Amino acid sequence: MEPARLVQGNEACVQGAIAAGCRFFAGYPITPSTEVAELMAERLPRLGGKFIQMEDEIASMAAIIGASLCGAKAMTATSGPGFSLKQENIGFAAMCEVPCVVVNVQRAGPSTGGPTAPGQGDIMQARWGTHGDHPIVVLAPYSVRDTFDLTVAAFNCAEDLRVPTIVLLDEVIGHMRERVELPGQSEVRVVDRRRPDPSRTAPEDFVPYAHTPDLVPEMADFGSGYRHHITGLNHDERGRPFASPAEVDRLVRRLNGKMSLAAQRWGLFQEVATADAEVLVIAAGSPARSAKEAVRSARQAGIKAGLLILQTIWPFPAVKVADLASRARVVIVPELNLGQLVGEVERYACRGRGEPRVVSLTRVDTELFPPAQIYEALREVR
Amino acid sequence: MATARDYLLSDALPHIWCPGCGHGTILGALLRAIARIDPPKDDVVMISGIGCAGRAPGYLDFNTLHTTHGRALAFATGVKLASPERRVIVITGDGDAAAIGGNHLIHAARRNIGVTTICFNNSVYGMTGGQYSPLTPLGAFATTAPYGQVEPAFDLCELARAAGASFVARGTAHHAVALTDLIYQALQNDGFSFVEAISQCPVSYGRRNKLGNAAQMLRWQRDNTVNVKAAAKMTPEQLQGKILTGVLHHAVRPEYARSYEQLVARLGAEREGKS
Ligand SMILES: Cc1ncc(C[n+]2csc(CCOP(=O)(O)OP(=O)(O)O)c2C)c(N)n1
Ligand code: SF4
């Protein structure tokens, strides 16, 4: 453990990334994510890594994919408008199976919205922002310490599954300072992509997009002797754009099959007093903090309240939600948008005949949920 | 001695290009220039955007990356910065480079990053069937310029030079031997090199502009271009309407990826000095 000190969420993100092995960062300044780029610019060259401020977010996304193909662990960070710009190349990373991490410190509103105001309006964009059926993993930290841990997890997941992984912060978490002890390097588990082993696989036998049963083919760095073609076009197992309909079908299904793998290996959540909860709050990011407080007060007032904090948002933790909801009368979903998570909750929580009742609490006024607002909701429904 | 053929993947052929397309000739010039240098294939990373030109890397035995429309130089920047020891070559179309990718072109040139860029300029969007590009000449016809192009065209070589490219040249499919030589020089330059290679698209451009078949279009390239050396001895009247070819600019400037490596080394030395 490092000694406890006051750390900002965005800084914990940088620390986590570096601990996970990130040595390449490309970005473009945008509030409230800019601190991530500034800290990377300072730290990476000292570690032998590379930082570049690109001409825009599209280029930043392209550059990290290029770096990752050379074997580097690479990341970019952005917010709202910049996240929209990255989408086309995020899809390229999903299609070509290039591990990379994209941090989106969400801000309020559509368009320029509220650059310094919190929001969670990108929950659906994070999943479906790029076109076509594609795999993507999205992790949403709720505290400074969690930001460190989930950024490490994001790199590990990206390397494990060869999928782009999003760290979905919100302005509150990104800018908040908390007194935390962050793990030292030796305490951090680091996962690396599986590379072909020259003693087992000759270059001519290397199949870069093999449909292996574990869904994740080995990945060769540029320059490592395994020359192959990479294209965003539909491709066959060798990466060539001549795939038959059957091969395209196989490719798209294999890629999307990684979502089930991600649910098994990277489905992260935390539970607070859920064992006997009749009224269940499900939240992610900063609303989870207010919810924790509210649930504590509710328990003191004798209400059988519990909280499920979603750390992995996509793949949506359907099994966990269905399990806890099966024992609840009411599920409350507070979020800083007009109801994006709640739709998923309803999909998996409802047993039919309106059971359990799902209550959506939404805010888009750039303010946070005070714990009292969630507590009131818990009292009303008990 | 390596030959162009050594780099072609026989099982990735035939190519998609139409009969008479100039892109194959330009690719041939590029491969002959590479063969003259004969680098290890593993060291070459060839990156392209989307378009007819962008399909070229798929036929080659290098580390090849076919990216998104206009973004090849942004991907290449990541590759070169992460692996400065690689020889990075970008293939792009005129629409890919000048329209959707124009911003990346400017900034790659400004940084003088060690990437050799070959722009296959056929004056049109070939892949999507003949819409106008920023390099379509004023008055020319395209599916989206049915009454003649109203916008003036870019001079991409001027743009690249002004933005900071350390090597800029223009050649044509007609002058394939000279083009090979220009690309060879571009590959030798330590920094950002830009070569505009004038190509012909008989299918999506030539037909609509009554420029004849491929042979006639190649003759047009011969008759409407002047090498810079010859141009020096010509009058402005003689040069009216002519397109300059040859090495248009060459300057020595620090290469970006190496400059960054030097920064990394300096910080490392400082740290060791302190401890
Ligand atoms: C983001 C995006 N916009 C549009 C397209 C459609 N598109 C494919 S190729 C192309 C133009 C290619 O023209 P050019 O770069 O001149 O290359 P050429 O085909 O002439 O070699 C366009 C517009 C695309 N693939 N992606
Ligand atoms: S459409 Fe034009 S540029 Fe494309 S392959 Fe055919 S001739 Fe070449």
Coordinates of all heavy atoms in Angstrom, one line a residue, chain A residues 45-46 48-56 58-59 62-63 65-67 69-70 88-89 92 222-223 225 227-233 238 240-242, chain B residues 9 11-12 41-42 45 55 58 61-68 71 74-75 77-79 81-84 86 103-104 107 111 256 260-261 264 267 271:
Chain A
P45 N 6.5 10.0 -20.1 CA 7.9 10.0 -20.6 C 8.9 9.6 -19.5 O 10.0 9.1 -19.8 CB 8.0 11.4 -21.1 CG 6.9 12.2 -20.5 CD 5.8 11.3 -20.3
R46 N 8.5 9.9 -18.3 CA 9.4 9.5 -17.2 C 9.5 8.0 -17.0 O 10.5 7.5 -16.4 CB 9.0 10.1 -15.9 CG 9.1 11.6 -15.9 CD 8.7 12.3 -14.5 NE 9.0 13.7 -14.6 CZ 10.2 14.2 -14.4 NH1 11.2 13.4 -14.1 NH2 10.4 15.5 -14.5
G48 N 9.4 6.0 -19.6 CA 9.8 5.4 -20.9 C 8.6 5.3 -21.8 O 8.7 4.6 -22.9
G49 N 7.4 5.8 -21.4 CA 6.2 5.7 -22.3 C 6.1 6.9 -23.2 O 7.0 7.8 -23.2
K50 N 4.9 7.0 -23.9 CA 4.7 8.0 -24.9 C 3.4 8.7 -24.6 O 2.4 8.0 -24.4 CB 4.7 7.4 -26.3 CG 5.9 6.5 -26.6 CD 7.1 7.3 -26.9 CE 8.4 6.5 -27.0 NZ 8.5 5.6 -28.2
F51 N 3.4 10.0 -24.7 CA 2.2 10.8 -24.6 C 2.1 11.6 -25.9 O 3.1 12.2 -26.3 CB 2.2 11.8 -23.4 CG 1.2 12.8 -23.5 CD1 -0.1 12.6 -22.9 CD2 1.4 14.0 -24.1 CE1 -1.1 13.6 -23.0 CE2 0.4 15.0 -24.2 CZ -0.9 14.8 -23.7
I52 N 0.9 11.8 -26.4 CA 0.7 12.7 -27.6 C -0.6 13.4 -27.5 O -1.6 12.7 -27.2 CB 1.0 12.0 -28.9 CG1 0.9 13.1 -30.0 CG2 0.0 10.9 -29.2 CD1 1.5 12.6 -31.4
Q53 N -0.6 14.7 -27.7 CA -1.9 15.4 -27.8 C -2.2 15.4 -29.3 O -1.5 16.1 -30.0 CB -1.8 16.8 -27.2 CG -3.1 17.6 -27.3 CD -3.0 18.9 -26.5 OE1 -2.6 18.9 -25.4 NE2 -3.5 19.9 -27.1
M54 N -3.2 14.7 -29.7 CA -3.5 14.7 -31.1 C -4.4 15.9 -31.5 O -4.8 16.7 -30.7 CB -4.3 13.3 -31.4 CG -3.4 12.1 -31.2 SD -2.0 12.0 -32.4 CE -2.8 11.6 -33.9
E55 N -4.7 15.9 -32.8 CA -5.4 17.1 -33.3 C -6.9 17.0 -33.1 O -7.6 18.0 -33.2 CB -5.2 17.2 -34.9 CG -5.4 15.9 -35.7 CD -4.1 15.1 -35.8 OE1 -3.2 15.2 -34.9 OE2 -4.0 14.3 -36.7
D56 N -7.4 15.9 -32.7 CA -8.8 15.7 -32.3 C -9.0 14.3 -31.6 O -8.1 13.6 -31.5 CB -9.8 16.0 -33.4 CG -9.6 15.0 -34.6 OD1 -9.1 13.9 -34.4 OD2 -9.9 15.4 -35.7
I58 N -10.9 11.9 -32.8 CA -10.9 10.8 -33.7 C -9.5 10.3 -33.9 O -9.2 9.1 -33.9 CB -11.4 11.3 -35.1 CG1 -12.9 11.8 -35.0 CG2 -11.4 10.2 -36.2 CD1 -13.4 12.5 -36.2
A59 N -8.6 11.3 -34.0 CA -7.2 10.9 -34.2 C -6.6 10.3 -32.9 O -5.8 9.3 -33.0 CB -6.4 12.2 -34.5
A62 N -7.6 6.7 -33.0 CA -6.8 6.0 -34.0 C -5.4 5.7 -33.5 O -4.8 4.6 -33.7 CB -6.8 6.8 -35.3
A63 N -4.8 6.7 -32.9 CA -3.4 6.6 -32.4 C -3.3 5.5 -31.4 O -2.3 4.8 -31.4 CB -2.9 7.9 -31.9
I65 N -5.1 2.9 -31.0 CA -5.2 1.6 -31.7 C -3.9 1.2 -32.4 O -3.4 0.1 -32.3 CB -6.4 1.6 -32.7 CG1 -7.7 1.8 -32.0 CG2 -6.4 0.3 -33.5 CD1 -8.9 2.0 -32.9
G66 N -3.3 2.2 -33.1 CA -2.0 2.0 -33.7 C -0.9 1.5 -32.7 O -0.2 0.6 -33.0
A67 N -0.9 2.2 -31.6 CA 0.1 1.9 -30.6 C -0.1 0.5 -30.0 O 0.8 -0.3 -29.8 CB 0.1 2.9 -29.4
L69 N -1.5 -2.0 -31.5 CA -1.0 -3.0 -32.5 C 0.5 -3.2 -32.4 O 1.0 -4.3 -32.9 CB -1.5 -2.6 -33.9 CG -3.0 -2.7 -34.1 CD1 -3.4 -2.0 -35.4 CD2 -3.5 -4.1 -34.1
C70 N 1.2 -2.3 -31.9 CA 2.6 -2.4 -31.7 C 3.0 -3.1 -30.4 O 4.1 -3.3 -30.1 CB 3.3 -1.1 -31.8 SG 3.2 -0.2 -33.4
E88 N -16.5 5.9 -34.2 CA -16.2 5.1 -35.3 C -15.0 4.2 -35.1 O -15.0 3.1 -35.4 CB -16.0 6.0 -36.6 CG -15.8 5.2 -37.8 CD -15.3 5.9 -39.0 OE1 -14.9 7.1 -38.9 OE2 -15.3 5.4 -40.1
N89 N -14.0 4.8 -34.5 CA -12.8 4.0 -34.3 C -12.9 3.1 -33.1 O -12.1 2.1 -33.1 CB -11.5 4.9 -34.2 CG -11.1 5.5 -35.5 OD1 -11.4 4.9 -36.6 ND2 -10.4 6.6 -35.5
F92 N -13.9 0.1 -34.8 CA -12.8 -0.5 -35.5 C -12.0 -1.4 -34.5 O -11.7 -2.5 -34.8 CB -11.8 0.6 -36.1 CG -10.7 0.0 -36.9 CD1 -10.8 -0.2 -38.2 CD2 -9.5 -0.3 -36.3 CE1 -9.8 -0.8 -39.0 CE2 -8.4 -0.9 -37.0 CZ -8.6 -1.1 -38.4
F222 N 2.9 -5.9 -34.2 CA 3.6 -5.5 -35.5 C 5.1 -5.7 -35.3 O 5.6 -5.3 -34.2 CB 3.4 -4.0 -35.8 CG 2.0 -3.8 -36.5 CD1 1.5 -2.5 -36.5 CD2 1.3 -4.8 -37.1 CE1 0.3 -2.2 -37.1 CE2 0.1 -4.5 -37.7 CZ -0.4 -3.2 -37.7
G223 N 5.8 -6.3 -36.2 CA 7.2 -6.4 -36.1 C 7.7 -7.7 -35.5 O 8.9 -7.9 -35.4
G225 N 7.2 -10.7 -36.4 CA 7.4 -11.8 -37.4 C 6.2 -12.5 -37.9 O 6.2 -13.2 -38.8
R227 N 3.5 -11.5 -39.8 CA 2.9 -10.5 -40.6 C 1.5 -10.9 -41.0 O 1.3 -12.1 -41.4 CB 3.7 -10.3 -41.9 CG 5.1 -9.7 -41.6 CD 5.8 -9.4 -42.9 NE 6.0 -10.5 -43.8 CZ 7.0 -11.4 -43.6 NH1 7.9 -11.3 -42.6 NH2 7.1 -12.4 -44.5
H228 N 0.5 -10.0 -40.9 CA -0.9 -10.4 -41.3 C -1.6 -9.1 -41.6 O -1.1 -8.0 -41.3 CB -1.6 -11.1 -40.1 CG -1.7 -10.4 -38.8 ND1 -0.6 -10.3 -38.0 CD2 -2.7 -9.8 -38.3 CE1 -1.0 -9.6 -36.9 NE2 -2.3 -9.2 -37.1
H229 N -2.8 -9.2 -42.1 CA -3.6 -8.1 -42.5 C -4.7 -7.8 -41.5 O -5.3 -8.7 -41.0 CB -4.2 -8.4 -43.9 CG -4.9 -7.2 -44.5 ND1 -4.3 -6.0 -44.6 CD2 -6.2 -7.0 -45.0 CE1 -5.1 -5.1 -45.2 NE2 -6.3 -5.7 -45.4
I230 N -4.9 -6.5 -41.2 CA -5.9 -6.1 -40.3 C -6.8 -5.1 -41.0 O -6.4 -4.2 -41.6 CB -5.3 -5.4 -39.1 CG1 -4.3 -6.3 -38.4 CG2 -6.4 -4.9 -38.1 CD1 -3.5 -5.6 -37.3
T231 N -8.1 -5.4 -41.0 CA -9.1 -4.6 -41.7 C -10.4 -4.5 -41.0 O -10.8 -5.5 -40.4 CB -9.3 -5.1 -43.2 OG1 -10.3 -4.2 -43.8 CG2 -9.8 -6.5 -43.2
G232 N -11.0 -3.4 -41.1 CA -12.4 -3.2 -40.5 C -13.5 -3.8 -41.4 O -14.6 -3.9 -41.0
L233 N -13.1 -4.2 -42.6 CA -14.0 -4.9 -43.5 C -14.3 -6.3 -42.8 O -13.5 -6.9 -42.1 CB -13.4 -5.2 -44.8 CG -13.3 -4.0 -45.8 CD1 -12.4 -4.4 -47.0 CD2 -14.7 -3.6 -46.3
R238 N -8.0 -15.4 -41.6 CA -6.7 -14.8 -41.8 C -6.7 -13.3 -41.9 O -5.7 -12.7 -42.2 CB -6.2 -15.5 -43.1 CG -6.1 -17.0 -43.0 CD -5.5 -17.6 -44.2 NE -4.2 -17.1 -44.4 CZ -3.5 -17.2 -45.6 NH1 -4.1 -17.7 -46.6 NH2 -2.3 -16.7 -45.7
R240 N -8.4 -11.6 -44.1 CA -8.5 -11.1 -45.5 C -10.0 -10.8 -45.7 O -10.9 -11.5 -45.2 CB -8.1 -12.2 -46.4 CG -6.7 -12.8 -46.1 CD -5.6 -11.9 -46.8 NE -4.3 -12.4 -46.5 CZ -3.7 -13.4 -47.2 NH1 -4.3 -14.0 -48.2 NH2 -2.5 -13.8 -46.9
P241 N -10.2 -9.8 -46.5 CA -11.6 -9.3 -46.7 C -12.4 -10.1 -47.8 O -13.0 -9.6 -48.6 CB -11.4 -7.9 -47.2 CG -10.1 -7.8 -47.9 CD -9.3 -8.9 -47.2
F242 N -12.3 -11.5 -47.7 CA -13.0 -12.3 -48.7 C -13.9 -13.3 -47.9 O -14.1 -14.4 -48.4 CB -12.0 -13.2 -49.5 CG -10.8 -12.5 -49.9 CD1 -9.5 -13.0 -49.5 CD2 -10.8 -11.3 -50.7 CE1 -8.3 -12.4 -49.9 CE2 -9.6 -10.7 -51.1 CZ -8.4 -11.2 -50.7
Chain B
L9 N 1.2 -10.8 -52.2 CA 0.6 -12.0 -51.7 C -0.2 -12.7 -52.8 O -1.3 -12.2 -53.1 CB -0.3 -11.8 -50.5 CG 0.4 -11.3 -49.2 CD1 -0.7 -10.8 -48.3 CD2 1.3 -12.3 -48.6
D11 N -1.9 -15.2 -52.9 CA -3.3 -15.7 -52.5 C -4.2 -14.6 -52.1 O -5.4 -14.9 -51.8 CB -3.1 -16.8 -51.4 CG -2.5 -16.2 -50.1 OD1 -2.0 -15.1 -50.2 OD2 -2.5 -16.9 -49.1
A12 N -3.8 -13.3 -52.2 CA -4.7 -12.2 -51.9 C -5.1 -11.6 -53.2 O -5.9 -10.7 -53.2 CB -4.0 -11.2 -51.0
K41 N 10.8 -7.3 -44.2 CA 9.4 -7.1 -44.3 C 8.7 -6.9 -42.9 O 7.7 -6.2 -42.8 CB 8.7 -8.4 -44.9 CG 9.1 -8.6 -46.4 CD 8.4 -9.9 -46.8 CE 8.8 -10.2 -48.3 NZ 8.2 -11.5 -48.6
D42 N 9.3 -7.5 -41.9 CA 8.7 -7.3 -40.6 C 8.8 -5.9 -40.1 O 8.0 -5.5 -39.2 CB 9.4 -8.2 -39.6 CG 8.9 -9.7 -39.7 OD1 7.8 -9.9 -40.1 OD2 9.7 -10.6 -39.4
V45 N 5.4 -1.3 -41.8 CA 4.0 -1.3 -41.5 C 3.3 -0.4 -42.5 O 3.7 0.8 -42.7 CB 3.8 -0.7 -40.1 CG1 2.3 -0.6 -39.7 CG2 4.5 -1.4 -39.0
R55 N -7.2 -0.2 -50.6 CA -7.2 -1.6 -50.7 C -5.8 -2.2 -50.9 O -5.5 -3.4 -50.7 CB -8.2 -2.2 -51.7 CG -9.6 -1.8 -51.4 CD -10.1 -2.4 -50.1 NE -10.3 -3.9 -50.2 CZ -11.5 -4.4 -50.6 NH1 -12.5 -3.7 -50.8 NH2 -11.6 -5.8 -50.7
G58 N -3.7 -4.7 -48.5 CA -4.3 -6.0 -48.4 C -3.6 -7.0 -49.3 O -3.8 -8.2 -49.1
D61 N 2.7 -8.4 -48.4 CA 3.3 -9.2 -47.3 C 4.1 -8.3 -46.4 O 5.3 -8.5 -46.2 CB 4.2 -10.3 -48.0 CG 4.7 -11.3 -46.9 OD1 4.2 -11.3 -45.8 OD2 5.6 -12.0 -47.2
F62 N 3.4 -7.4 -45.7 CA 4.0 -6.6 -44.7 C 3.1 -6.7 -43.5 O 2.1 -7.4 -43.5 CB 4.1 -5.1 -45.1 CG 5.0 -4.9 -46.3 CD1 4.5 -4.3 -47.5 CD2 6.3 -5.2 -46.3 CE1 5.3 -4.1 -48.6 CE2 7.2 -5.0 -47.4 CZ 6.6 -4.4 -48.6
N63 N 3.3 -5.9 -42.4 CA 2.3 -5.7 -41.4 C 1.3 -4.7 -42.0 O 1.7 -3.5 -42.2 CB 3.0 -5.1 -40.1 CG 4.1 -5.9 -39.6 OD1 3.9 -7.0 -39.0 ND2 5.4 -5.5 -39.9
T64 N 0.1 -5.1 -42.3 CA -0.8 -4.2 -43.0 C -2.0 -3.9 -42.3 O -2.6 -4.7 -41.6 CB -1.1 -4.8 -44.4 OG1 -1.6 -6.1 -44.2 CG2 0.1 -4.9 -45.3
L65 N -2.4 -2.6 -42.4 CA -3.5 -2.1 -41.5 C -4.4 -1.2 -42.4 O -4.0 -0.2 -42.9 CB -2.9 -1.3 -40.4 CG -3.9 -0.6 -39.4 CD1 -4.8 -1.6 -38.7 CD2 -3.1 0.2 -38.3
H66 N -5.6 -1.7 -42.6 CA -6.6 -1.0 -43.4 C -7.6 -0.4 -42.5 O -8.4 -1.1 -41.9 CB -7.3 -2.1 -44.3 CG -8.3 -1.6 -45.3 ND1 -9.5 -2.3 -45.5 CD2 -8.4 -0.5 -46.0 CE1 -10.3 -1.6 -46.3 NE2 -9.6 -0.5 -46.7
T67 N -7.5 0.9 -42.3 CA -8.2 1.6 -41.2 C -9.6 2.1 -41.6 O -10.3 1.5 -42.4 CB -7.3 2.7 -40.6 OG1 -7.2 3.7 -41.5 CG2 -5.9 2.1 -40.2
T68 N -9.9 3.3 -41.0 CA -11.2 4.0 -41.3 C -10.9 5.1 -42.3 O -9.8 5.5 -42.5 CB -11.8 4.5 -40.1 OG1 -10.8 5.2 -39.3 CG2 -12.4 3.3 -39.2
R71 N -8.4 8.3 -41.8 CA -7.7 8.3 -40.6 C -6.4 7.6 -40.6 O -5.7 7.4 -39.5 CB -8.6 7.6 -39.5 CG -10.0 8.1 -39.5 CD -10.2 9.6 -39.3 NE -11.6 10.0 -39.4 CZ -12.0 11.2 -39.5 NH1 -11.1 12.2 -39.6 NH2 -13.2 11.5 -39.7
A74 N -3.6 9.2 -38.7 CA -3.7 9.2 -37.3 C -3.3 7.9 -36.7 O -2.6 7.8 -35.6 CB -5.1 9.6 -36.9
F75 N -3.7 6.8 -37.3 CA -3.3 5.4 -36.9 C -1.7 5.3 -37.0 O -1.0 4.8 -36.1 CB -3.9 4.3 -37.7 CG -5.3 4.0 -37.4 CD1 -6.4 4.8 -37.8 CD2 -5.6 2.9 -36.6 CE1 -7.7 4.5 -37.5 CE2 -7.0 2.5 -36.3 CZ -8.0 3.3 -36.8
T77 N 0.4 7.7 -36.9 CA 1.1 8.4 -35.8 C 1.3 7.6 -34.6 O 2.3 7.6 -33.9 CB 0.3 9.7 -35.6 OG1 0.3 10.5 -36.8 CG2 1.0 10.6 -34.5
G78 N 0.2 6.9 -34.2 CA 0.3 6.0 -33.0 C 1.4 4.9 -33.2 O 2.1 4.6 -32.3
V79 N 1.4 4.3 -34.4 CA 2.3 3.2 -34.7 C 3.8 3.8 -34.7 O 4.6 3.2 -34.0 CB 2.1 2.6 -36.1 CG1 3.2 1.7 -36.5 CG2 0.7 1.8 -36.1
L81 N 5.0 6.5 -33.3 CA 5.4 7.0 -32.0 C 5.7 5.8 -31.0 O 6.6 5.8 -30.2 CB 4.4 7.9 -31.4 CG 4.7 8.6 -30.1 CD1 6.0 9.4 -30.1 CD2 3.5 9.5 -29.6
A82 N 4.8 4.8 -31.1 CA 5.0 3.6 -30.2 C 6.2 2.8 -30.7 O 6.9 2.2 -29.8 CB 3.7 2.8 -30.2
S83 N 6.5 2.7 -32.0 CA 7.6 1.9 -32.5 C 8.4 2.7 -33.5 O 8.3 2.5 -34.7 CB 7.0 0.6 -33.2 OG 6.4 -0.2 -32.3
P84 N 9.2 3.6 -33.1 CA 10.0 4.5 -34.0 C 10.9 3.7 -34.9 O 11.3 4.1 -36.0 CB 10.8 5.4 -33.1 CG 10.1 5.3 -31.8 CD 9.5 3.9 -31.7
R86 N 10.1 1.1 -36.7 CA 9.4 0.6 -37.9 C 9.4 1.6 -39.0 O 9.4 2.8 -38.8 CB 7.9 0.3 -37.5 CG 7.7 -0.7 -36.4 CD 7.8 -2.1 -36.9 NE 7.9 -3.0 -35.7 CZ 9.0 -3.4 -35.2 NH1 10.1 -3.2 -35.9 NH2 9.0 -4.2 -34.1
N103 N -7.3 17.2 -41.8 CA -6.7 17.6 -40.6 C -5.5 16.8 -40.1 O -4.5 17.3 -39.7 CB -7.8 17.6 -39.5 CG -7.5 18.5 -38.3 OD1 -6.8 19.5 -38.4 ND2 -8.0 18.2 -37.2
H104 N -5.6 15.5 -40.3 CA -4.6 14.6 -39.9 C -3.3 14.8 -40.8 O -2.2 14.7 -40.3 CB -5.0 13.1 -40.0 CG -6.3 12.9 -39.3 ND1 -6.5 13.3 -38.0 CD2 -7.4 12.3 -39.7 CE1 -7.7 13.0 -37.6 NE2 -8.3 12.4 -38.6
H107 N -1.4 17.9 -39.6 CA -0.7 17.7 -38.3 C 0.4 16.7 -38.4 O 1.4 16.8 -37.7 CB -1.7 17.4 -37.2 CG -2.6 18.7 -36.9 ND1 -2.1 19.7 -36.2 CD2 -3.8 19.0 -37.4 CE1 -3.0 20.7 -36.2 NE2 -4.0 20.3 -36.9
R111 N 4.2 17.9 -37.5 CA 5.0 17.2 -36.5 C 6.3 16.6 -37.2 O 7.2 16.3 -36.5 CB 4.3 16.0 -35.9 CG 3.1 16.4 -35.1 CD 2.5 15.1 -34.4 NE 1.3 15.6 -33.6 CZ 0.0 15.4 -33.9 NH1 -0.3 14.7 -35.0 NH2 -0.9 15.9 -33.2
Y256 N 9.7 13.7 -35.5 CA 9.0 13.8 -34.2 C 9.2 12.7 -33.3 O 9.5 12.8 -32.1 CB 7.5 14.0 -34.5 CG 6.7 13.9 -33.3 CD1 6.6 14.9 -32.4 CD2 5.9 12.7 -33.1 CE1 5.9 14.8 -31.2 CE2 5.2 12.6 -31.9 CZ 5.1 13.6 -31.0 OH 4.4 13.5 -29.9
Y260 N 10.8 12.8 -29.5 CA 10.1 12.4 -28.2 C 11.0 11.3 -27.5 O 11.1 11.4 -26.3 CB 8.7 11.8 -28.5 CG 7.9 11.8 -27.3 CD1 7.0 12.8 -27.0 CD2 8.0 10.7 -26.4 CE1 6.3 12.8 -25.8 CE2 7.2 10.7 -25.2 CZ 6.4 11.8 -24.9 OH 5.6 11.8 -23.8
E261 N 11.7 10.5 -28.3 CA 12.6 9.5 -27.6 C 13.7 10.3 -26.9 O 14.2 9.8 -25.8 CB 13.2 8.6 -28.7 CG 12.2 7.7 -29.4 CD 12.5 6.3 -29.1 OE1 13.5 5.8 -29.7 OE2 11.8 5.6 -28.3
V264 N 12.4 11.4 -23.6 CA 12.4 10.2 -22.7 C 13.8 10.0 -22.2 O 14.0 9.8 -20.9 CB 11.8 9.0 -23.4 CG1 12.0 7.7 -22.6 CG2 10.3 9.2 -23.7
L267 N 14.8 12.7 -19.6 CA 14.2 12.5 -18.3 C 14.8 11.4 -17.6 O 15.0 11.5 -16.3 CB 12.7 12.4 -18.5 CG 11.9 13.6 -19.1 CD1 10.5 13.2 -19.4 CD2 12.0 14.7 -18.1
R271 N 16.8 11.6 -14.0 CA 16.3 10.8 -12.8 C 17.5 10.1 -12.2 O 17.7 10.0 -11.0 CB 15.2 9.9 -13.2 CG 14.4 9.4 -12.0 CD 13.3 8.5 -12.5 NE 13.7 7.6 -13.6 CZ 12.9 7.3 -14.6 NH1 11.7 7.7 -14.7 NH2 13.4 6.5 -15.5

